[in-house]
C-alpha cells in the first residue's frame, strides 16, 4: 500500500510542544561514540538494548535495502513504555542516567543497559537521529542533527558553552503515520509479527529510533553479522521477540551434536581445582523452576552467584565459519547481555588451554555481579582482583 504524501517531513512536521537544550561538547561525543563502538553492529545493539530496557515485548531493526543511497535509513522500532516530553528532556541530559534507579518498565524487567549512552552510539552511524514516540495517546517527534555539534566549537569539557536547542513537536496520529510511512515500509508499521504502530489494535506505547543521513560505518553493516550479534548478545525469549526486517531472530543454537553437557551447581559442583577459590559453594535459586538453567549455580563471596552450563561438541565449532561469528569458547553474560562478544577466551591466556578441545567447547556463564566492573562500552571488564577470581573459576 502506497502511503499518502504529506507536505512536510519528519524534521519539520507537527506543532512545537517544547524545547530541549542539549549541552555536550564535540570532544566528548567523539570519545563516547567513536572511541567505544568499533562496529555498526555493536552500535545498533545499543539501541536494541534500549528497547529491552523499555519493557518492549516486540522490537524490530529495519533498514534500507541499499545503504549507499542518500535517503537510506536504519531504524529500531519497539512497543516499550516510550518517552513523554519530560522523559525526552531526561534522555538528552548527557552524563546522567536513571537506567538502574528501580525498574520502571511495565513488566519490571531487569535492565541490561547501565550508562545511558546508547543514544550516543548513533553518532558513529548517522548525522541525524529522530525519535518518534507514542505515549498517553499523544505522538511526539524530536530530531538531533549531530552536524550542529562540530569541531569548529573548541569546547574541551563535557558540556558545550553553546547548547543546541531541539524542538519537541506534537503530531496527530495521521501525521505520525503518514510521515513514518514516507521512510519505513507500511508493512513494518502494521505487521502483527513485530511492534504494531498503526491500524487495528496498535500498541498503546511505542518508539521509533530513526537514523538518517548515514555515515560510512553504517554502510559497512551486513545483516548476516548483525543477526549473529543480536541472536548471541541479546536476551531474546518469549517475553522479548526481535526481528531484523522480515526475519525473526532466534537465540543462537548449534546444529553440531553435543557430546556432553555439564550444568554449574548440578554436574559441576564445588570440587574445582586451583587456581579456583576454595570457598565456592552450590547456590540454588528456588524462585525459578528446577528444570530451568537458573535453578542450579555456584556462589563465592567476592562475586556472588553464577549459573550456566558447559558443553563439549563431537565436532569442531570453528570449521568453515566466519571468525567474527564464533560459536566456541566462553560466552559470559551480565544481566542477560553478552559482554565478551569478540573475546572467546574471556581474557584467559590462550596458551593455558588445549586448542583441540577448546575448539569443541562452549560455556554459557551468567554472572550479574560483573555488571559493576564493565567498561562503558559493555565490551569488556575492567581489570581488578575480582575479575581475576572469576577468570580462575
Amino acid at each position: 500500500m502506497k502511503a499518502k504524501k504529506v507536505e512536510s517531513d519528519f524534521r519539520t512536521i507537527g506543532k512545537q510542544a517544547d524545547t530541549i537544550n542539549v549541552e555536550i561538547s564535540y570532544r566528548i561525543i567523539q570519545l563516547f561514540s567513536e572511541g567505544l563502538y568499533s562496529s555498526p553492529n555493536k552500535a545498533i545493539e545499543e539501541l536494541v538494548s534500549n528497547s529491552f530496557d523499555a519493557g518492549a515485548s516486540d522490537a524490530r531493526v529495519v533498514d534500507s535495502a541499499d545503504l549507499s543511497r542518500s535517503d537510506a535509513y536504519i531504524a529500531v522500532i519497539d512497543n516499550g513504555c516510550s518517552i513523554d516530553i519530560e522523559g525526552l528532556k531526561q534522555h538528552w541530559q548527557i552524563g546522567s542516567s536513571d537506567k538502574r534507579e528501580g525498574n520502571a518498565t511495565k513488566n519490571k524487567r531487569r535492565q541490561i543497559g547501565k550508562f545511558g549512552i546508547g543514544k550516543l552510539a548513533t553518532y558513529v552511524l548517522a548525522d541525524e537521529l529522530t525519535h518518534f514516540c507514542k505515549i498517553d495517546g499523544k505522538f511526539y517527534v524530536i530530531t538531533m542533527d549531530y552536524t550542529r555539534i562540530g569541531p569548529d566549537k573548541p569546547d574541551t569539557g563535557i558540556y558545550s558553552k553553546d547548547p543546541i536547542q531541539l524542538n519537541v513537536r506534537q503530531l496527530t496520529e495521521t501525521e505520525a503515520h503518514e510521515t513514518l510511512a514516507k521512510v519505513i515500509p507500511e508493512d513494518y508499521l502494521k505487521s502483527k509479527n513485530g511492534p504494531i504502530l498503526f491500524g487495528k489494535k496498535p500498541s498503546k506505547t511505542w518508539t521509533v529510533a530513526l537514523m538518517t543521513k548515514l555515515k560510512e560505518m553504517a554502510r559497512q553493516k551486513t545483516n548476516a553479522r548483525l543477526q549473529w550479534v543480536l541472536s548471541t548478545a541479546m536476551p531474546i525469549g518469549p517475553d522479548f521477540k526481535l526481528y531484523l526486517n522480515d526475519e525473526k531472530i532466534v537465540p543462537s543454537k548449534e546444529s553440531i551434536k553435543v557430546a556432553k553437557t555439564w550444568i554449574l551447581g548440578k554436574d559441576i559442583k564445588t570440587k574445582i581445582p586451583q587456581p579456583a577459590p576454595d570457598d565456592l559453594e552450590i547456590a540454588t535459586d528456588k524462585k525459578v523452576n528446577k528444570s530451568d538453567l537458573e535453578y542450579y549455580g555456584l556462589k563465592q563471596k567476592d562475586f556472588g552467584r553464577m549459573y550456566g552450563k558447559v558443553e563439549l561438541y563431537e565436532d569442531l565449532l570453528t570449521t568453515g565459519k566466519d571468525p567474527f561469528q564464533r560459536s566456541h569458547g566462553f560466552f559470559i553474560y551480565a544481566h542477560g547481555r553478552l559482554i565478551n562478544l569478540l573475546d572467546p577466551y574471556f581474557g584467559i591466556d590462550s596458551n593455558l588451554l588445549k586448542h583441540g578441545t577448546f575448539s569443541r567447547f562452549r560455556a554459557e556463564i551468567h554472572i550479574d555481579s560483573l555488571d559493576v566492573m564493565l567498561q562503558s562500552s559493555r565490551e569488556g571488564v575492567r581489570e581488578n582482583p575480582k575479575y581475576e577470581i572469576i577468570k580462575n573459576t
Side-chain angles (χ1 to χ4, degrees):
M1 181 185 296
K2 189 174 182 180
K4 297 178 182 178
K5 291 185 178 181
V6 294
E7 295 299 325
S8 304
D9 66 14
F10 58 84
R11 302 169 186 85
T12 57
I13 196 169
K15 182 183 298 184
Q16 183 167 329
D18 210 329
T19 58
I20 297 174
N21 287 330
V22 180
E23 300 177 337
I24 185 170
S25 70
Y26 176 72
R27 175 177 173 78
I28 290 298
I29 203 170
Q30 278 191 308
L31 292 174
F32 272 84
S33 55
E34 292 177 349
L36 293 179
Y37 302 104
S38 56
S39 78
N41 307 301
K42 185 64 180 177
I44 293 170
E45 183 208 335
E46 283 287 352
L47 290 181
V48 176
S49 73
N50 287 345
S51 298
F52 181 89
D53 285 346
S57 61
D58 289 271
R60 186 191 300 273
V61 180
V62 58
D63 60 10
S64 300
D66 183 358
L67 294 177
S68 66
R69 290 173 55 95
S70 60
D71 60 350
Y73 71 92
I74 301 173
V76 177
I77 307 170
D78 70 65
N79 64 352
C81 58
S82 200
I83 321 172
D84 59 13
I85 291 177
E86 290 305 312
L88 288 168
K89 290 180 178 180
Q90 172 66 30
H91 179 77
W92 282 108
Q93 283 185 12
I94 309 300
S96 67
S97 172
D98 60 356
K99 281 267 185 177
R100 295 294 168 83
E101 293 178 6
N103 287 303
T105 59
K106 55 190 175 184
N107 55 7
K108 297 184 179 180
R109 178 180 289 161
R110 294 190 69 182
Q111 297 191 337
I112 58 176
K114 178 181 178 183
F115 301 100
I117 61 172
K119 54 186 168 289
L120 297 186
T122 59
Y123 177 81
V124 302
L125 299 176
D127 280 335
E128 289 182 337
L129 169 64
T130 299
H131 282 101
F132 286 83
C133 307
K134 177 187 177 183
I135 185 169
D136 297 329
K138 298 178 181 179
F139 300 83
Y140 300 103
V141 61
I142 183 172
T143 297
M144 162 60 87
D145 180 355
Y146 286 120
T147 63
R148 297 171 64 189
I149 308 174
D152 57 321
K153 298 179 180 180
D155 297 301
T156 57
I158 295 177
Y159 300 110
S160 171
K161 297 176 183 178
D162 185 15
I164 293 174
Q165 191 174 78
L166 306 184
N167 293 325
V168 182
R169 287 161 282 128
Q170 186 170 345
L171 312 179
T172 65
E173 182 174 4
T174 298
E175 287 174 330
H177 186 182
E178 293 182 354
T179 305
L180 276 169
K182 288 182 67 178
V183 183
I184 299 173
E186 182 83 2
D187 289 346
Y188 294 138
L189 304 179
K190 292 183 176 181
S191 173
K192 293 182 180 179
N193 295 321
I196 303 175
L197 276 59
F198 303 102
K200 295 181 179 180
K201 297 182 179 179
S203 301
K204 292 182 179 180
T205 58
W206 51 254
T207 303
V208 178
L210 174 67
M211 290 172 283
T212 49
K213 296 185 179 180
L214 300 182
K215 296 182 178 178
E216 181 58 32
M217 181 180 286
R219 298 188 181 98
Q220 296 171 3
K221 179 187 73 66
T222 64
N223 281 348
R225 286 191 172 186
L226 178 58
Q227 183 175 12
W228 180 83
V229 168
L230 296 176
S231 67
T232 305
M234 293 298 302
I236 300 169
D239 67 336
F240 183 64
K241 297 183 287 293
L242 181 60
Y243 300 81
L244 177 55
N245 293 319
D246 289 316
E247 189 168 353
K248 184 177 182 179
I249 295 180
V250 296
S252 57
K253 295 181 180 179
E254 302 304 325
S255 58
I256 302 175
K257 187 176 180 180
V258 178
K260 180 70 174 178
T261 298
W262 295 269
I263 296 176
L264 271 65
K266 180 181 179 184
D267 305 305
I268 301 178
K269 299 183 179 178
T270 57
K271 300 298 182 182
I272 302 176
Q274 291 184 344
D278 296 327
D279 59 344
L280 277 174
E281 60 183 68
I282 296 175
T284 57
D285 185 352
K286 297 182 180 179
K287 296 179 181 178
V288 299
N289 296 325
K290 196 170 184 177
S291 57
D292 294 340
L293 182 64
E294 297 95 317
Y295 180 84
Y296 294 98
L298 301 176
K299 183 172 68 174
Q300 195 268 343
K301 66 177 183 178
D302 289 301
F303 60 83
R305 188 172 182 275
M306 59 183 285
Y307 68 90
K309 62 182 178 180
V310 175
E311 294 176 326
L312 188 65
Y313 288 77
E314 292 187 353
D315 298 313
L316 298 178
L317 296 171
T318 55
T319 303
K321 297 197 175 191
D322 183 340
F324 182 90
Q325 300 178 19
R326 69 180 179 91
S327 302
H328 72 295
F330 294 97
F331 291 77
I332 310 298
Y333 295 83
H335 288 185
R337 187 174 175 189
L338 185 68
I339 65 171
N340 65 320
L341 188 68
L342 301 180
D343 179 14
Y345 296 99
F346 189 51
I348 299 171
D349 185 351
S350 61
N351 293 319
L352 299 175
L353 305 170
K354 295 182 179 179
H355 296 286
T357 302
F358 192 69
S359 297
R360 298 188 296 120
F361 163 92
R362 180 185 179 101
E364 175 189 327
I365 311 296
H366 297 259
I367 313 174
D368 286 347
S369 62
L370 278 176
D371 182 69
V372 299
M373 307 179 201
L374 294 183
Q375 298 171 353
S376 54
S377 65
R378 295 187 62 89
E379 290 185 294
V381 181
R382 296 189 300 271
E383 294 288 342
N384 59 63
K386 289 186 178 181
Y387 177 42
E388 291 300 318
I389 292 174
I390 290 172
K391 287 195 295 184
N392 290 333
T393 301

